[in-house]
Amino acid sequence: NTMLSWQRTAFHFQPEKNWMNDPNGPLYYKGWYHFFYQYNPNAAVWGDIVWGHAVSKDLIHWLYLPLAMVPDQWYDANGVWTGSATFLDDGSIVMLYTGSTDKFVQVQNLAYPEDPKDPLLLKWTKYSGNPVLVPPPGIGAKDFRDPTTAWKTSAGKWRITIGSKINRTGISIVYDTTDFKTYEQLDTLLHQVPNTGMWECIDFYPVSKTKANGLDTSVNGPDVKHVIKASMDDTRIDHYAIGTYSDSKGTWVPDNPKIDVGISTGLRYDYGKFYASKTFYDQHKKRRILWGWIGESDSESSDVQKGWSSVQGIPRTVVLDTKTGKNLVQWPVKETESLRLTSKKFHMKVGPGTVVPVEVGPAAQLDIEAEFKIKKDDLEVIFGEDSLEADEEFSCETSKGSTVRGALGPFGFSVLADQSLSEQTPVYFYVTKGKDSKLKTFFCTDTSRSTKANDVVKPVYGSFVPVLKGEKLTMRILVDHSIVEGFGQGGRTCITSRVYPTKAIYGATKLFLFNNAIDATITASFRVWQMNNAFIRPYSADDST
Ligand code: DQQ
């Protein structure tokens, strides 16, 4: 169907057709990045789930391979669901995944490459003793899924966690194993949080307190913090928290109980559309990489009409923010920059209530890096001692979007806009003065005017973003036809949105800079790159060389 074909992305991973959801078992092996994904080979809606498979040399250009695993056993007859890879000490790979059985019971299964010498890992063998884990007593048959990558205990065993719930409490059940075939359940949970519902796709990994590189999942010690991420089935939000892991107890406690997993005051990887994510340690480049499933915000019937649904976000490196110590920072993998074509640099001063076209040619595939300064006098006058403006608790989500003017914002870019701005998606900062008289910065994306289509959910997304003394406000935006990924303040706060312009497509797509503040003058220094297409196509024999 060509009618909706402009929504197809040019450099984001998506299958040729049909439905995709969670990233599965990402890993680097013998020169290839492997990416598996939840896939419906038969339709553009969820169902008949198998593992799709693709490989890449650089995480950007992808070659589709044959399906890696399909439901061909009683223990995965209703779907080969989400799972994770672990490298054993001898370099061999084990894959654990959830099967939905012939009776719709969620069990964990073991699989491994049929031929470890094959860099493409084309064939997977399911262990003859599957399932290796069934729901333990007290756990619902349909509440037991998505095993993590295993990590080593100090006793030399392997440990994994699996998400579940007891009543309304989200929990992570812990098991130790030596051979991945038999398991011993620990008496304690890794973690639990009341009133958060079912935890899907738990991820658990160390981050360095001092260094910028990523850590292998088994690394532990005084220089390390541990991150737990769980995907909240109820709200479809990926929440993470930073805390301390006890190897001897098999438990984890958050640094700050107010920033715990799954609670409204906690942290999210992304404040837009981003779910069921999973990290892996890239031993090739010593970094931890985050994949996230970006679903659609349009209707199921539109997906059926266009013949596909969902994309994957650009893989992000993830590290602890050593400046704040309280949050992660996420950034598109360096290889993304290989898609950059021509660029233009701009330095613009924009007064209150201004919209300026940014002449970059067609603006449907862009990478934007920008720095903003608020004129200092304005800051002092506006937010001086007796200033009137003290924003009550601002929130992007409950605000009416970028048309609402404050003293110091909003300002930023309107992307995927048409010439007359009848369609536009503003990505912006909004600076407020809190009740404590301190400036507080928010990073938001307003999709409410992104399309004329009437079958689309169009929220205002966003959140608070930490800005430290002396820092300028910075943002990066990746634009790719129907996806916009915003990274505020170096990736402290991220927002991914799916938008479906009807006029702002291909060559008609424009970029604007705006300052909708009432008082402040803004200086924006930025660079805009045209982005190339990535090749994402079936593997052919020529690709082996
Ligand atoms: N998707 C998988 C499950 C997982 C869910 C099924 C999260 O394993 O819990 O497709 O999106």
Side-chain angles (χ1 to χ4, degrees):
N1 187 307
T2 52
M3 222 180 73
L4 299 167
S5 56
W6 61 82
Q7 295 175 6
R8 195 109 185 134
T9 60
F11 58 89
H12 283 75
F13 181 80
Q14 50 180 139
E16 283 178 299
K17 57 178 183 181
N18 293 328
W19 167 275
M20 169 176 68
N21 54 301
D22 318 356
N24 291 156
L27 59 89
Y28 179 81
Y29 192 66
K30 295 190 189 293
W32 291 101
Y33 289 98
H34 286 257
F35 184 65
F36 305 90
Y37 51 97
Q38 295 280 283
Y39 181 58
N40 181 349
N42 306 316
V45 299
W46 186 87
D48 300 341
I49 295 292
V50 304
W51 274 34
H53 186 191
V55 287
S56 170
K57 291 277 178 190
D58 62 1
L59 293 161
I60 298 294
H61 303 86
W62 291 94
L63 299 167
Y64 305 120
L65 292 174
L67 303 178
M69 292 195 278
V70 300
D72 52 11
Q73 305 292 327
W74 69 267
Y75 54 75
D76 58 18
N78 280 297
V80 183
W81 287 3
T82 283
S84 308
T86 302
F87 278 101
L88 303 185
D89 296 331
D90 65 359
S92 62
I93 298 167
V94 296
M95 201 63 94
L96 284 175
Y97 72 93
T98 300
S100 178
T101 70
D102 51 354
K103 300 200 168 67
F104 299 94
V105 177
Q106 293 171 8
V107 299
Q108 316 313 323
N109 302 312
L110 170 63
Y112 42 89
E114 187 182 296
D115 175 12
K117 288 197 290 298
D118 173 18
L120 296 179
L121 301 172
L122 288 176
K123 295 241 156 58
W124 290 80
T125 305
K126 295 176 185 174
Y127 168 54
S128 57
N130 279 339
V132 293
L133 280 170
V134 300
I139 294 299
K142 293 183 179 174
D143 305 324
F144 184 58
R145 57 186 181 271
D146 312 331
T148 59
T149 293
W151 65 95
K152 271 280 176 71
T153 69
S154 59
K157 292 181 178 171
W158 288 105
R159 185 168 281 170
I160 59 163
T161 186
I162 299 176
S164 187
K165 66 171 176 184
I166 294 176
N167 299 320
R168 293 274 311 132
T169 300
I171 66 171
S172 51
I173 305 172
V174 190
Y175 295 91
D176 283 357
T177 181
T178 51
D179 58 5
F180 289 84
K181 295 170 181 164
T182 57
Y183 294 78
E184 180 196 341
Q185 186 183 346
L186 271 59
D187 297 333
T188 50
L189 297 168
L190 185 64
H191 193 47
Q192 57 177 313
V193 181
N195 286 312
T196 53
M198 175 70 194
W199 285 9
E200 298 186 315
C201 303
I202 296 179
D203 200 5
F204 182 69
Y205 56 91
V207 284
S208 172
K209 287 201 256 185
T210 50
K211 299 199 191 77
N213 57 298
L215 300 176
D216 202 342
T217 312
S218 294
V219 172
N220 197 359
D223 288 345
V224 160
K225 287 254 148 216
H226 274 84
V227 176
I228 295 191
K229 184 278 302 188
S231 303
M232 303 295 138
D233 196 11
D234 288 6
T235 55
R236 312 305 279 177
I237 292 171
D238 275 16
H239 277 274
Y240 76 89
I242 297 164
T244 304
Y245 164 62
S246 160
D247 167 81
S248 56
K249 297 196 210 112
T251 56
W252 173 95
V253 284
D255 284 350
N256 178 349
K258 290 210 179 75
I259 312 183
D260 205 344
V261 185
I263 63 176
S264 59
T265 50
L267 292 165
R268 307 183 196 176
Y269 274 156
D270 193 291
Y271 289 81
K273 194 103 189 159
F274 191 93
Y275 193 66
S277 62
K278 185 180 296 299
T279 64
F280 75 105
Y281 177 66
D282 170 12
Q283 72 276 29
H284 178 50
K285 296 214 165 150
K286 301 201 175 351
R287 54 188 174 174
R288 183 163 288 275
I289 294 172
L290 171 67
W291 279 100
W293 163 40
I294 320 296
E296 303 291 324
S297 299
D298 64 352
S299 63
E300 198 168 277
S301 63
S302 284
D303 297 345
V304 170
Q305 194 187 347
K306 68 191 186 217
W308 59 270
S309 178
S310 302
V311 305
Q312 298 290 331
I314 290 293
R316 305 171 178 180
T317 51
V318 34
V319 291
L320 181 68
D321 187 345
T322 47
K323 295 202 184 108
T324 65
K326 291 180 181 160
N327 56 277
L328 299 172
V329 286
Q330 303 163 56
W331 198 246
V333 292
K334 185 92 183 119
E335 290 88 333
T336 313
E337 293 160 32
S338 70
L339 294 173
R340 288 173 169 177
L341 298 169
T342 56
S343 75
K344 273 192 170 182
K345 269 184 161 173
F346 300 85
H347 186 79
M348 292 179 172
K349 200 169 178 178
V350 277
T354 324
V355 187
V356 210
V358 182
E359 303 299 344
V360 290
Q365 294 174 215
L366 298 180
D367 188 354
I368 306 168
E369 285 200 67
E371 215 175 75
F372 296 90
K373 257 173 65 188
I374 303 173
K375 211 169 121 205
K376 192 153 178 288
D377 311 349
D378 290 351
L379 270 179
E380 276 156 17
V381 174
I382 297 158
F383 284 144
E385 279 299 307
D386 45 25
S387 117
L388 291 176
E389 170 135 0
D391 283 270
E392 296 304 307
E393 281 308 296
F394 175 85
S395 118
C396 303
E397 291 173 337
T398 57
S399 75
K400 295 236 158 55
S402 70
T403 55
V404 179
R405 306 183 65 181
L408 282 187
F411 54 86
F413 294 95
S414 276
V415 301
L416 291 172
D418 66 325
Q419 183 65 51
S420 68
L421 285 158
S422 71
E423 289 181 329
Q424 56 171 310
T425 299
V427 181
Y428 55 96
F429 287 114
Y430 190 96
V431 182
T432 68
K433 181 175 167 184
K435 285 180 185 139
D436 55 2
S437 287
K438 288 205 180 105
L439 294 185
K440 211 173 161 187
T441 305
F442 293 82
F443 183 54
C444 321
T445 297
D446 176 2
T447 69
S448 64
R449 286 162 294 153
S450 59
T451 179
K452 300 260 186 241
N454 56 18
D455 67 332
V456 176
V457 193
K458 298 183 283 187
V460 182
Y461 294 121
S463 179
F464 164 72
V465 59
V467 181
L468 305 184
K469 214 171 172 197
E471 285 182 349
K472 286 181 184 155
L473 295 177
T474 62
M475 67 167 80
R476 175 156 179 205
I477 311 172
L478 295 173
V479 179
D480 187 7
H481 297 273
S482 65
I483 178 169
V484 178
E485 287 156 290
F487 301 85
Q489 231 39 29
R492 287 188 183 133
T493 299
C494 308
I495 308 169
T496 300
S497 34
R498 296 300 309 283
V499 294
Y500 308 88
T502 60
K503 298 164 82 185
I505 62 171
Y506 298 127
T509 314
K510 307 282 177 195
L511 174 69
F512 292 85
L513 173 71
F514 73 93
N515 173 12
N516 207 20
I518 296 170
D519 297 305
T521 294
I522 308 293
T523 310
S525 305
F526 58 100
R527 187 159 172 181
V528 183
W529 288 264
Q530 290 285 342
M531 290 292 267
N532 205 347
N533 291 9
F535 68 75
I536 301 174
R537 58 167 170 79
Y539 181 91
S540 76
D542 302 343
D543 292 315
S544 63
T545 49

